[in-house]
């Protein structure tokens, strides 16, 4: 994740690192979590990291000081995303929707899991009980309690491991060694 001229990285060592993009050197690192860190995002002078220790932590982007912890009890945080003023913490059996301002858990999307992707008002996530399928939510409403399931994308024969958006197309990768391209019909 990049902010200004710094790039932020995380890994299984549980460290949050800041890198100088121009020189390629690590300029700062801090212990981030008790277990490996699987995700990082940055926005509005904040960095958020997600970990196997079942938490997401918020950091000050300038100092890398720990600001707050979002406790995701019962689920590791494997992926993070922003949707409007909400942060999504996706684990192995749920997606938790947090109010970034109050830092309170607002909604749990049971049955959804990582990977997740928010694009053009739509939220895509793998399904816990059927990890080879992708659930599509209309996430354009300002209130996540009003997000509704629009579609279910079936096509993989094993767990979906990545979701990306490229040239107007949803791309999904899977343990089945395939990449599927999903284009929305007009």
């Amino acid at each position: 994740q990049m902010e200004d001229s710094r790039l932020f990285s995380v890994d299984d060592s549980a460290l949050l690192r800041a890198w100088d993009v121009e020189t390629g050197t690590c300029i700062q690192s801090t212990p981030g979590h008790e277990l490996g860190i699987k995700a990082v995002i940055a926005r509005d002078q904040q960095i958020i990291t997600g970990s196997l220790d079942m938490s997401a932590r918020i950091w000050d982007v300038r100092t890398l000081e720990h600001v707050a912890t979002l406790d995701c009890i019962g689920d590791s945080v494997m992926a993070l995303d922003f949707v409007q003023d909400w942060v999504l913490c996706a684990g192995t059996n749920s997606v938790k929707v947090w109010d970034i301002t109050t830092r309170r858990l607002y909604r749990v999307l049971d049955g959804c899991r990582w990977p997740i992707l928010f694009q053009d008002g739509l939220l895509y996530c793998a399904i816990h009980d059927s990890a080879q399928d992708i659930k599509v939510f209309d996430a354009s409403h300002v209130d996540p309690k009003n997000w509704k399931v629009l579609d279910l994308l079936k096509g993989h024969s094993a767990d979906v491991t990545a979701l990306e958006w490229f040239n107007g197309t949803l791309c999904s990768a899977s343990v089945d060694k395939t990449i599927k391209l999903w284009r929305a019909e007009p």
Side-chain angles (χ1 to χ4, degrees):
Q1 184 72 49
M2 205 160 143
E3 184 76 19
D4 300 324
S5 64
R6 292 177 298 161
L7 179 72
F8 298 97
S9 70
V10 296
D11 59 35
D12 283 336
S13 71
L15 290 175
L16 169 61
R17 292 184 175 92
W19 300 84
D20 183 300
V21 175
E22 307 226 351
T23 65
T25 58
C26 180
I27 54 177
Q28 190 175 2
S29 69
T30 187
H33 289 265
E34 295 173 22
L35 296 173
I37 304 173
K38 295 298 184 182
V40 61
I41 55 175
R43 186 176 89 175
D44 299 333
Q45 301 302 307
Q46 294 180 332
I47 301 168
I48 302 176
T49 54
S51 169
L52 295 173
D53 68 9
M54 298 186 207
S55 73
R57 294 190 179 171
I58 302 172
W59 309 86
D60 182 290
V61 76
R62 294 174 305 276
T63 64
L64 291 191
E65 288 183 27
H66 179 244
V67 175
T69 299
L70 307 177
D71 191 354
C72 297
I73 292 176
D75 209 357
S76 299
V77 180
M78 304 296 289
L80 297 161
D81 207 345
F82 283 109
V83 176
Q84 302 154 22
D85 291 330
W86 309 96
V87 64
L88 306 182
C89 298
T92 55
N93 59 31
S94 70
V95 175
K96 293 176 172 68
V97 182
W98 293 84
D99 182 321
I100 194 64
T101 305
T102 65
R103 299 183 180 121
R104 293 182 192 240
L105 181 61
Y106 187 76
R107 180 178 180 191
V108 177
L109 301 175
D110 286 319
C112 293
R113 62 180 285 278
W114 73 277
I116 57 173
L117 174 70
F118 177 73
Q119 181 70 39
D120 297 332
L122 299 176
L123 172 64
Y124 303 89
C125 62
I127 301 172
H128 173 63
D129 292 344
S130 181
Q132 71 271 14
D133 299 331
I134 302 164
K135 197 177 277 190
V136 183
F137 286 85
D138 177 352
S140 62
H141 197 281
V142 71
D143 185 346
K145 289 183 180 171
N146 292 320
W147 295 354
K148 304 291 183 213
V149 176
L150 294 178
D151 204 355
L152 182 64
L153 306 177
K154 294 178 171 274
H156 288 289
S157 61
D159 290 9
V160 174
T161 57
L163 297 170
E164 289 296 332
W165 193 259
F166 181 73
N167 286 344
T169 302
L170 173 66
C171 308
S172 59
S174 169
V175 173
D176 67 11
K177 300 180 183 176
T178 66
I179 296 173
K180 301 283 183 190
L181 305 177
W182 311 86
R183 186 171 292 274
E185 298 297 322

